[in-house]
Amino acid sequence: MTAPLTPPLTDPLNGQTADRAARRGPAVRLESVSKVYGHGTNGLLALDGVSLDVAPGEFVCLLGASGCGKSTLLSLVAGLDAPTAGTIEADRDRVAMMFQEPALFPWLTVSANVEMALRAKGVAKAERRSRAAEFLRIVHLDGFGGKRPHELSGGMRQRVALARALAQDADVLLMDEPFGALDAMTRDLLHDELERIWRERSLSVLFVTHNVREAVRLGDRVVLLSSRPGRVVRDFPVTLERPRRTDSAEVARQAAEITDRLREEVLRHGR
Amino acid sequence: MAADLTSQGTAGRPSEERSGKGPEVAVDARTPQADIHARQLAGLDALELSVGQRRGFASRLWSGIWPVASAIVIVLAVWQGVVLAGWWPEYVFAGPVTTLTELADRMGEAEFYGAVAVTMRRAVVGFALAIAVGLVVGALVSRIRPLRRAVGSLITGLQTMPSIAWFPLAILLFGLTESAITFVVILGAAPSIANGLIAGVDYTPPILLRAGHMLGLRRLSLYRHVILPASLPSFLAGLKQGWAFAWRSLMAGELLVIIANQASLGEQLHFARELADSAGLLATMIVILVIGIAVDLLFGAADTALRRRWGLHQVTT
Ligand SMILES: Nc1ncnc2c1ncn2[C@@H]1O[C@H](COP(=O)(O)OP(=O)(O)OP(=O)(O)O)[C@@H](O)[C@H]1O
Ligand SMILES: [Mg+2]
């Protein structure tokens, strides 16, 4: 690979975030993390020396082509898989994850799926029920608690998964292309909700997406990953004032800049 | 969902073509607009949940009954045909009319119900014990790796063993008692049940295990809340197969192990042959067949209900 390794920016331009980071240290820290799938000559280097910090309360968007190791990175942070090399610091008990697919339990109702997040924490039954209803209301699915996952559309299932992840009441939220299957209208609405929840709970979010505008709409930083092997190519701070709109000119301009940069990466690969 | 409903760029598409064009919507108009969005969203959701058409009860009943009815008619016709062909005399191979009359007669007697009750009690006890054994063995084997290697193929081996081959040993161990029969019923059914559970555990979708793990479920709670429910369809298939094996083993047992003062279906079969009571023999066989099918249908119904609940049912043609 000829892609130069640009050191990730460790100075987010959001002063408040930087302040909190200094006090508590990063919520998630990856240091020279590599991941090889398989062994020997058949091994596939999915991630190569990825270093990345997510400050407490920071919203970081991961951008990269398909197959560049974004899901791999998230499952390493979640502790579902172990890195081949490097270290990852994260409080595993305070991490929630939304997978690329909804991953709902088909034998449970929508409400029971959300309640499962609370059950593992030992919350009493009556409270579980009312809190699940509240999270379903947040994702605009009130009244669907009694349905089974297969009775919902793909986008609705993804919203249930979001409710379930939120119900975990974690500090760090890992999201793997959570809104990829949604139509633009629903996506806009959930961006607003997610931003609100992120603010209110000062969550740290690591958000994977293919959509440059979505990344700019949501992120404090947009981190660009290269493909095969996955490396951090570039770290763009997004300084636009919130609330942002996906269809605003500023978001479009910044997205265009990043898209250009992404094209350069792709071209470099083509050579 | 339908295609993008606003003009916003979709994932991965270069997005600069829209930059700077078009009127900007004021940012502070957000709240009422979000409200409208929410209502539109509810509308979309309502549209998506298609209302399945349910056919009327009578037509469903009819479509369920006519294949069975025509099958019965075909069987009776072939049976009568064979009798009319005269290969065997009527007292050796009774015709449907004689047999069904005999069956109707028997169904008027208390003795018949006593025999059915004894057989069903044995079936239920044996099958219940087989479930318990199958569950324990299946759970242990699926969780403990070394045990898996040692016992896994042995269980499949046991399944292929004809249950009647166990009876000499069972009779040696327990004598001509009901325990001998129960022993063989358990050996017949438990391997299928254990295998069903093991297969279910093995094929638990990894994504659900990962989701359970992320929710903080570990070890026993993961087993209870994710692995066991996920293996339910496979376990149910094991139960269904286990029932078939149990019922066969039970009939073999009742033919071989005759216990005094314990009239049972197998015993009736045995004595009907001794007394060359062809109509009685065939009548008993019909009862055995019908009970076997009825219980199988029960498992089938449970399976269908489960699949419907999970959204696994196939499109009916
Ligand atoms: N369990 C696995 N075993 C072997 N290879 C794997 C495994 N999981 C992922 N890979 C490989 O690692 C690479 C990165 O996969 P990953 O799923 O992380 O990509 P991604 O960036 O999430 O892609 P997408 O955007 O399509 O979801 C791919 O080349 C994939 O083939
Ligand atoms: Mg992925």
Side-chain angles (χ1 to χ4, degrees):
Chain A
M1 293 296 127
T2 50
L5 251 179
T6 320
L9 294 178
T10 45
D11 157 44
L13 289 157
N14 187 330
Q16 191 211 356
T17 315
D19 222 49
R20 261 189 279 176
R23 247 184 291 125
R24 284 198 272 155
V28 176
R29 161 164 275 172
L30 289 91
E31 245 172 312
S32 327
V33 169
S34 297
K35 176 70 188 176
V36 180
Y37 283 114
H39 300 282
T41 47
N42 291 330
L44 180 121
L45 184 58
L47 291 175
D48 185 22
V50 172
S51 296
L52 179 71
D53 281 6
V54 180
E58 195 179 19
F59 202 124
V60 176
C61 291
L62 267 181
L63 206 59
S66 184
C68 74
K70 304 181 296 292
S71 297
T72 303
L73 196 149
L74 286 198
S75 63
L76 292 180
V77 172
L80 291 169
D81 217 342
T84 313
T87 53
I88 298 174
E89 286 167 35
D91 183 359
R92 258 41 182 285
D93 295 334
R94 307 290 303 157
V95 173
M97 171 129 163
M98 224 185 126
F99 296 89
Q100 204 164 350
E101 60 244 74
L104 301 175
F105 303 117
W107 54 87
L108 296 178
T109 60
V110 162
S111 168
N113 262 287
V114 178
E115 283 173 45
M116 192 55 87
L118 303 163
R119 188 191 271 265
K121 290 196 165 15
V123 177
K125 191 172 177 151
E127 200 192 333
R128 278 209 304 263
R129 180 132 318 156
S130 67
R131 272 168 66 181
E134 189 187 320
F135 285 110
L136 285 174
R137 200 174 40 72
I138 289 177
V139 296
H140 300 280
L141 281 177
D142 30 357
F144 289 97
K147 295 255 185 234
R148 307 235 161 224
H150 72 89
E151 295 175 278
L152 306 184
S153 74
M156 290 161 92
R157 275 177 233 163
Q158 207 61 19
R159 276 143 68 192
V160 178
L162 174 60
R164 185 174 69 176
L166 293 175
Q168 275 184 266
D169 194 24
D171 295 332
V172 177
L173 188 54
L174 308 174
M175 307 179 83
D176 197 349
E177 295 180 36
F179 306 140
L182 301 181
D183 63 279
M185 205 155 103
T186 312
R187 206 185 304 149
D188 274 351
L189 196 75
L190 288 181
H191 284 163
D192 295 349
E193 291 297 343
L194 178 61
E195 189 169 49
R196 187 177 61 75
I197 294 159
W198 162 71
R199 274 261 183 80
E200 280 176 9
R201 305 194 185 187
S202 46
L203 293 172
S204 314
V205 181
L206 194 50
F207 186 103
V208 166
T209 176
H210 279 141
N211 189 330
V212 183
R213 280 203 191 199
E214 182 174 50
V216 175
R217 157 74 184 83
L218 289 170
D220 291 326
R221 278 160 62 208
V222 176
V223 175
L224 193 61
L225 280 185
S226 68
S227 300
R228 291 165 199 270
R231 288 186 184 138
V232 175
V233 174
R234 185 79 184 260
D235 198 329
F236 300 90
V238 183
T239 51
L240 302 176
E241 208 163 313
R242 293 177 194 269
R244 303 170 188 158
R245 289 183 47 105
T246 312
D247 46 13
S248 75
E250 296 96 321
V251 166
R253 200 176 310 120
Q254 193 135 16
E257 261 172 52
I258 295 178
T259 306
D260 286 345
R261 185 62 216 217
L262 210 100
R263 285 228 184 85
E264 278 173 41
E265 278 318 310
V266 173
L267 283 178
R268 208 194 304 272
H269 267 272
R271 235 175 264 156
Chain B
M1 274 232 173
D4 280 7
L5 291 162
T6 68
S7 56
Q8 182 203 333
T10 42
R13 200 195 296 160
S15 40
E16 62 267 61
E17 70 239 27
R18 261 189 55 82
S19 59
K21 287 183 201 158
E24 279 297 291
V25 182
V27 171
D28 50 8
R30 200 72 196 131
T31 319
Q33 194 176 2
D35 195 49
I36 293 165
H37 270 186
R39 263 185 288 144
Q40 285 172 329
L41 194 52
L44 282 173
D45 288 347
L47 281 176
E48 258 159 26
L49 299 174
S50 57
V51 185
Q53 291 170 327
R54 284 192 77 88
R55 288 182 294 157
F57 177 74
S59 94
R60 269 183 298 142
L61 193 71
W62 170 244
S63 71
I65 279 179
W66 79 260
V68 180
S70 48
I72 289 174
V73 168
I74 290 170
V75 167
L76 290 179
V78 171
W79 183 3
Q80 186 64 55
V82 171
V83 171
L84 288 177
W87 289 318
W88 295 281
E90 174 81 24
Y91 63 87
V92 173
F93 187 60
V97 177
T98 333
T99 304
L100 292 178
T101 317
E102 171 73 20
L103 183 59
D105 282 351
R106 287 188 177 206
M107 286 175 80
E109 293 164 15
E111 201 187 325
F112 170 81
Y113 296 99
V116 171
V118 167
T119 297
M120 286 315 289
R121 191 197 66 224
R122 289 172 178 169
V124 168
V125 169
F127 192 56
L129 288 172
I131 291 175
V133 172
L135 267 176
V136 170
V137 172
L140 289 178
V141 170
S142 63
R143 288 321 281 169
I144 304 169
R145 219 164 265 265
L147 205 63
R148 175 59 166 269
R149 272 188 218 112
V151 187
S153 49
L154 189 69
I155 293 177
T156 313
L158 271 181
Q159 243 181 325
T160 63
M161 179 107 166
S163 52
I164 201 157
W166 284 106
F167 271 104
L169 178 66
I171 292 170
L172 263 182
L173 294 178
F174 299 100
L176 288 174
T177 61
E178 211 166 285
S179 305
I181 299 177
T182 309
F183 176 72
V184 177
V185 169
I186 294 172
L187 278 173
S192 297
I193 296 169
N195 258 347
L197 181 60
I198 294 167
V201 171
D202 281 357
Y203 289 105
T204 302
I207 183 69
L208 295 186
L209 292 177
R210 289 156 70 86
H213 190 93
M214 280 321 291
L215 294 178
L217 302 171
R218 299 292 137 84
R219 299 182 144 275
L220 218 62
S221 61
L222 189 69
Y223 205 80
R224 186 176 149 220
H225 294 302
V226 180
I227 298 172
L228 278 187
S231 45
L232 200 58
S234 173
F235 179 66
L236 206 59
L239 279 186
K240 193 169 146 130
Q241 196 186 46
W243 163 255
F245 278 112
W247 191 236
R248 289 183 208 182
S249 308
L250 179 62
M251 286 307 123
E254 286 190 342
L255 273 172
L256 286 177
V257 182
I258 308 287
I259 302 165
N261 303 322
Q262 284 263 37
S264 67
L265 289 175
E267 188 211 32
Q268 283 187 349
L269 217 53
H270 177 79
F271 284 119
R273 190 198 62 114
E274 298 261 287
L275 302 173
D277 174 10
S278 172
L281 192 145
L282 288 168
T284 309
M285 282 177 68
I286 289 174
V287 173
I288 293 169
L289 188 70
V290 166
I291 293 176
I293 291 174
V295 176
D296 190 69
L297 284 180
L298 229 69
F299 282 117
D303 190 54
T304 311
L306 185 80
R307 284 175 181 281
R308 180 153 299 143
R309 266 161 72 99
W310 290 31
L312 294 172
H313 59 289
Q314 275 149 7
V315 180
T316 46
T317 47

